[in-house]
Amino acid sequence: MDKIITEANFKEAFLAYGFDDVKSCERYGSGHINDTFLLIENSGDKVILQRMNTMVFKDPEMLMGNVLKVTDFLKTSIEKEGGDPKRETMSVRLTKDKKPFFKDSDDNYWRVYEFIDKATGYDSVKRPKDFYESAYAFGKFQRYLASFDASRLGEVIKDFHNTPKRYERFLQVVKEDVKGRAKTCQKEIDFVNARAKAMSEATDMLKNGELPLRVTHNDTKLNNVLIDDKTGMGLCVIDLDTVMPGLSINDFGDSIRFGANTAVEDEPDVSKVSLSLELFECYAEGFLKGCGGKLTDNELKMLPVGAKLMTLECGMRFLTDYLEGDVYFNTKYADHNLVRCRTQFALVKDIEDKMDKCHEIIKKVSNH
Ligand code: ADP
Ligand code: GN1
Ligand code: MG
């Protein structure tokens, strides 16, 4: 569990960044990893102040190095296409000492982003158009980064979307059962084990050279893209912590997991959970358009499998965290991770049942 943030910690961070006239500094957004605050100065200036989660991101210096490289690169690409780099990508605010983060005397790592105003990160799809726009933005993000040299990026979390490795770790955690919780979730453990063979479907293809390694976002939830309140267009891809070499089908898949579910990620009533084929199609259209026709035939073919695998992997990660005593994801109540896991598994089952239909949709959308 993360240690608390004291008044003194905030004061040090404010000083490091030169915020000497703070009007308010409140928790903001619904991310599961970092501690995010919206800081407003009396002048009306707004910034996002975050305490980075150093349990998850063990090398914050490398992480911020990645973020700076990626945002600098994106700024140039956005300018070239006549966009507004101040709103269409993140801007890191430096400390008074010109550093991209600040470490306080309790070893908390802080960073500041310019606040992107009049734009919203949604926790669920209110209008299909927003989902289409988010897809276009994530696809475009990938298109921009297609010419970024991946070897410049550090691997911030090793094997982040290596599903078979995640499965190995899951098996270990079930075996150790440090909190004695395995007996409360045997059905869910069985659900994972029944899919042992499926875990390496995508990673095997990567190994065999059948799927290309690209620079991907790796955390493409709907609330990690801001939609412009005025134009309704996908404005800015945020949460760049996990930008690393990865698979396009995982970026596609994670968005489907979160946004094409007819229920929210932590819906306790699993009868409400299903894959909306309408939203699946809508996302596929936006994503393929955003990628600019750059996906290979194998990638296109594997997009629905990406959706299944990202949902299975995420459910397995929630279950792993529940078994370990809720040490990774921010939780709001005792069984939150177990509830999230059940939602994911109900969605996996529905994706499996609708797999043929998903393939048909991709064929139609990509004209293959
Ligand atoms: P986490 O890694 O915990 O998910 P995020 O970086 O995604 O943290 O930030 C959490 C939330 O804060 C986002 O979902 C978004 O609503 C908001 N947010 C983050 N950065 C900005 C920004 N630069 N401008 C406006 N809102 C932001
Ligand atoms: C976390 O940071 P956030 O809330 O956007 C997690 C993702 C999970 C997601 C599940 C670094 O995303 O991998 O898919 O929760 N991020 C990290 O909601 O582990
Ligand atoms: Mg986030």
Side-chain angles (χ1 to χ4, degrees):
M1 272 288 151
D2 257 354
K3 56 181 189 287
I4 58 153
I5 305 172
T6 66
E7 279 297 314
N9 296 151
F10 276 115
K11 270 198 182 144
E12 269 189 70
F14 292 175
L15 192 66
Y17 281 94
F19 300 128
D20 43 25
D21 196 14
V22 175
K23 183 174 162 198
S24 61
C25 182
E26 310 277 345
R27 278 201 179 264
Y28 190 76
S30 45
H32 296 344
I33 301 295
N34 297 299
D35 290 295
T36 303
F37 302 87
L38 170 61
L39 183 151
I40 309 179
E41 290 191 282
N42 272 316
S43 64
D45 271 5
K46 293 177 185 171
V47 294
I48 288 287
L49 171 70
Q50 276 183 328
R51 178 177 71 166
M52 288 184 255
N53 184 329
T54 45
M55 216 249 335
V56 170
F57 302 111
K58 308 241 185 290
D59 189 342
E61 205 163 336
M62 179 212 269
L63 168 72
M64 289 313 289
N66 280 0
V67 170
L68 283 176
K69 283 175 206 158
V70 168
T71 50
D72 280 352
F73 184 89
L74 289 174
K75 281 198 166 90
T76 312
S77 313
I78 292 164
E79 267 164 9
K80 264 190 208 149
E81 295 195 5
D84 176 359
K86 285 214 172 99
R87 276 177 74 70
E88 292 174 33
T89 189
M90 307 276 280
S91 304
V92 176
R93 167 115 37 127
L94 302 180
T95 62
K96 285 195 292 188
D97 301 344
K98 306 263 174 286
K99 301 232 168 62
F101 61 84
F102 167 70
K103 184 180 167 190
D104 71 22
S105 46
D106 284 333
D107 292 341
N108 293 303
Y109 282 78
W110 297 90
R111 69 174 166 206
V112 170
Y113 286 117
E114 302 302 334
F115 184 74
I116 298 169
D117 218 348
K118 301 188 176 60
T120 307
Y122 292 100
D123 286 326
S124 66
V125 177
K126 303 274 185 292
R127 294 157 298 203
K129 162 107 175 25
D130 291 336
F131 200 40
Y132 174 87
E133 287 295 333
S134 76
Y136 184 73
F138 279 127
K140 195 164 93 175
F141 183 84
Q142 201 157 118
R143 176 170 65 76
Y144 279 151
L145 291 178
S147 50
F148 184 94
D149 174 8
S151 68
R152 293 176 62 208
L153 293 178
E155 198 176 7
V156 270
I157 302 179
K158 209 171 153 13
D159 294 320
F160 188 57
H161 283 317
N162 187 329
T163 315
K165 282 251 168 76
R166 296 263 182 199
Y167 180 51
E168 269 173 37
R169 165 108 183 84
F170 165 80
L171 289 175
Q172 186 67 30
V173 168
V174 172
K175 205 162 110 198
E176 287 166 7
D177 193 20
V178 287
K179 295 281 167 185
R181 289 179 170 180
K183 58 182 176 300
T184 64
C185 53
Q186 196 52 52
K187 227 173 85 193
E188 287 74 21
I189 294 171
D190 294 344
F191 185 94
V192 175
N193 286 329
R195 285 154 184 83
K197 277 212 189 99
M199 301 286 174
S200 58
E201 263 181 274
T203 44
D204 282 350
M205 288 182 76
L206 175 68
K207 266 190 218 150
N208 301 336
E210 291 166 302
L211 285 176
L213 198 61
R214 299 184 183 274
V215 178
T216 49
H217 183 278
N218 295 305
D219 190 2
T220 51
K221 291 191 335 192
L222 182 62
N223 59 22
N224 284 335
V225 59
L226 300 179
I227 307 285
D228 193 309
D229 291 341
K230 200 162 147 210
T231 64
M233 305 227 304
L235 180 68
C236 180
V237 170
I238 61 167
D239 203 346
L240 305 177
D241 295 338
T242 50
V243 176
M244 279 181 288
L247 296 177
S248 60
I249 66 163
N250 290 343
D251 270 10
F252 176 86
D254 201 38
S255 291
I256 297 300
R257 171 190 79 73
F258 191 85
N261 185 353
T262 50
V264 288
E265 189 185 58
D266 56 356
E267 170 58 58
D269 178 359
V270 291
S271 73
K272 292 187 181 158
V273 175
S274 68
L275 172 74
S276 158
L277 288 172
E278 242 174 53
L279 289 178
F280 181 90
E281 179 163 346
C282 162
Y283 193 90
E285 276 175 0
F287 190 72
L288 294 191
K289 186 156 178 248
C291 287
K294 292 246 165 29
L295 299 188
T296 65
D297 285 353
N298 275 343
E299 284 177 298
L300 291 171
K301 233 188 286 166
M302 288 294 282
L303 289 173
V305 176
K308 180 189 73 177
L309 284 178
M310 279 300 96
T311 312
L312 177 60
E313 183 192 278
C314 190
M316 186 165 70
R317 289 174 63 199
F318 287 141
L319 187 54
T320 303
D321 198 31
Y322 171 72
L323 288 165
E324 287 198 292
D326 310 308
V327 290
Y328 186 94
F329 295 104
N330 293 336
T331 49
K332 294 208 172 85
Y333 54 90
D335 287 350
H336 203 170
N337 272 317
L338 183 57
V339 167
R340 287 170 174 154
C341 147
R342 287 184 176 139
T343 313
Q344 302 312 296
F345 291 168
L347 185 60
V348 170
K349 181 73 185 58
D350 202 45
I351 297 175
E352 287 169 349
D353 293 346
K354 292 174 176 160
M355 196 43 93
D356 290 346
K357 289 201 174 103
C358 291
H359 284 300
E360 275 167 34
I361 289 172
I362 296 295
K363 266 194 190 155
K364 186 175 92 183
V365 173
S366 65
N367 295 318
H368 267 64

